[in-house]
Amino acid sequence: MTKAQTDNAPTQGLAADQVLSVDAMGGDQGPATVVAGLSQFLGDKPAARAILHGPKAELAPLLASHKITSRVTIHDASDVVKMTDKPSHVLRNGKKTSMWSAIEAVRDHQAAVAVSCGNTGGLMAMSMLRLRKAEGVNRPAIACLWPSRNPSGFNVMLDAGADIRADQDDLLTYALMGASYARNGLDIARPRVGLLNVGTEEHKGRAELKVAHELIANAAVIGDFDYVGFVEGGDLPSDKVDVIVTDGFTGNVALKTGEGTATLISELLRGALMKNPWSMFGALLARGSLRSLRKRIDPRRVNGGVFLGLNQTVIKSHGSADATGVAAALHLAYRLAQSGFSDKLAARVASAASLAQDTGQEGGTGSPNTKTGK
């Protein structure tokens, strides 16, 4: 393995939970936007520090311009993972990239959480290789925050696209991980978990969904969450659930559909308000309410998909994120670091396999096609 050159001065002697590992490269808008977002974040969190990964000659002037050089360590990494790179190519050729360096800093316990705007497939593949899956996890998942009517303003949905497949045991593990994330990320003491299906009736859905339905219900007490049963697509933004569990194919389609619909509504609303002088006058009168609405649904506020099921925490920021979006992902990363999320999640899912076995036996859900009992 090729080690990046390191200047440890700003982070030396600090507890790892005060330090974030940030990939400066790979985003659509370049390292200047990442550094601007990092500057916003550090301005809000005086105790925080960061390790920034990328070409030192390019990053040092950016840090100096934002006056954050004393709080950021640069790990010099010459190469970049491109958005078009396949995961297999990233694994073979990624050792000198900023993404690899960012993950290595977390693996070596120099930082608590890694944050990257780069290639999602490459980031997941590299994270699984270097950080390894947590005990009891077959398939890691990406958890995203979905705007909702709940007091917190968001629901957690997973998997949002880490793996298109998920059987009943995977869905049980997702429920445990999602509940842990809701507790630590949204301060929900006892999250309500729902399983996404084509209807709420118990006879609907694929065979593995019906088995997962029983497994999750029987695991709720041990997992310290409330299971509300099957939920539908219309419940994603509702206040009847805090965590929505689904496979990565369905979750990613739902996520992209929601983002596209929100963009369409925003464009249509803007067009309607600017249609004529009367509508423009009405928009002027409603300016305060419109500003509040824009803030409530602003996707930059929920930027950051959390990779769950690894031994340490990685957050994927949108590649197109601006400085506000990058800062939001860093705030989420810091909150999880401060809560000791990695250790709590590992403790919660370490028993996932035994939970699946126990609840399968108690609930009589065993079948020749299940993995329960492994």
Side-chain angles (χ1 to χ4, degrees):
M1 183 185 73
T2 302
K3 294 287 287 184
Q5 295 179 359
T6 306
D7 173 12
N8 282 321
T11 56
Q12 191 172 17
L14 284 174
D17 62 6
Q18 299 286 349
V19 184
L20 300 182
S21 181
V22 183
D23 176 10
M25 316 304 290
D28 296 346
Q29 303 189 46
T33 297
V34 175
V35 173
L38 178 59
S39 179
Q40 288 184 24
F41 161 72
L42 291 174
D44 294 333
K45 299 293 181 183
R49 298 293 185 272
I51 303 173
L52 191 64
H53 306 264
K56 187 171 185 179
E58 186 174 356
L59 298 181
L62 293 173
L63 295 179
S65 67
H66 286 276
K67 301 180 180 179
I68 55 173
T69 302
S70 63
R71 299 177 62 186
V72 180
T73 301
I74 297 176
H75 281 202
D76 191 31
S78 57
D79 293 346
V80 177
V81 175
K82 299 176 183 178
M83 287 296 187
T84 55
D85 288 344
K86 295 181 179 180
S88 57
H89 174 83
V90 171
L91 293 182
R92 289 195 304 267
N93 303 283
K95 291 186 177 181
K96 294 183 179 181
T97 64
S98 57
M99 183 182 289
W100 183 286
S101 182
I103 294 170
E104 285 296 288
V106 173
R107 184 176 184 266
D108 294 340
H109 301 288
Q110 298 173 6
V113 180
V115 180
S116 176
C117 299
N119 181 320
T120 303
L123 183 63
M124 176 58 81
M126 200 176 285
S127 298
M128 289 179 63
L129 175 68
R130 303 307 297 159
L131 303 180
R132 301 294 183 184
K133 293 181 291 186
E135 181 184 351
V137 175
N138 179 46
R139 292 188 177 96
I142 299 176
C144 68
L145 294 178
W146 195 288
S148 78
R149 300 182 185 92
N150 277 319
S152 66
F154 307 104
N155 289 336
V156 176
M157 185 186 76
L158 73 162
D159 178 20
D163 197 317
I164 62 172
R165 301 162 297 173
D167 66 13
Q168 56 278 347
D169 291 347
D170 296 322
L171 294 171
L172 169 61
T173 303
Y174 293 173
L176 294 167
M177 295 194 300
S180 182
Y181 177 35
R183 269 189 294 271
N184 292 279
L186 298 178
D187 287 334
I188 302 172
R190 192 173 178 85
R192 298 163 298 166
V193 176
L195 181 61
L196 191 63
N197 198 358
V198 294
T200 58
E201 298 86 352
E202 293 195 4
H203 67 274
K204 289 189 175 181
R206 303 188 306 271
E208 63 268 26
L209 284 177
K210 296 176 182 178
V211 178
H213 175 64
E214 295 189 36
L215 291 174
I216 296 171
N218 290 331
V221 174
I222 301 174
D224 198 23
F225 60 83
D226 293 323
Y227 181 54
V228 303
F230 288 134
V231 295
E232 299 177 288
D235 295 317
L236 287 169
S238 76
D239 58 1
K240 67 181 290 185
V241 66
D242 302 301
V243 178
I244 300 101
V245 173
T246 188
D247 62 86
F249 181 89
T250 306
N252 191 262
V253 170
L255 178 63
K256 298 297 176 59
T257 302
E259 291 176 343
T261 302
T263 300
L264 174 63
I265 292 174
S266 177
E267 292 173 354
L268 292 175
L269 179 60
R270 178 182 295 274
L273 292 175
M274 301 300 291
K275 188 174 182 179
N276 56 55
W278 291 109
S279 61
M280 294 173 65
F281 180 68
L284 182 63
L285 293 177
R287 182 172 52 184
S289 297
L290 291 172
R291 187 182 298 116
S292 297
L293 174 63
R294 182 186 301 170
K295 183 177 180 180
R296 177 71 184 272
I297 65 174
D298 187 350
R300 298 177 302 173
R301 296 176 58 235
V302 294
N303 179 42
V306 183
F307 289 4
L308 300 179
L310 303 171
N311 283 312
Q312 285 145 296
T313 304
V314 176
I315 290 181
K316 168 62 174 71
S317 169
H318 283 304
S320 60
D322 61 7
T324 299
V326 171
L330 294 172
H331 276 289
L332 174 60
Y334 192 67
R335 179 170 187 163
L336 294 179
Q338 292 291 289
S339 73
F341 176 64
S342 291
D343 292 338
K344 292 178 181 178
L345 181 64
R348 184 66 64 180
V349 302
S351 59
S354 60
L355 272 175
Q357 181 179 14
D358 294 344
T359 55
Q361 292 173 350
E362 293 171 7
T365 59
S367 79
N369 296 322
T370 67
K371 293 192 307 178
T372 53
K374 275 193 175 181

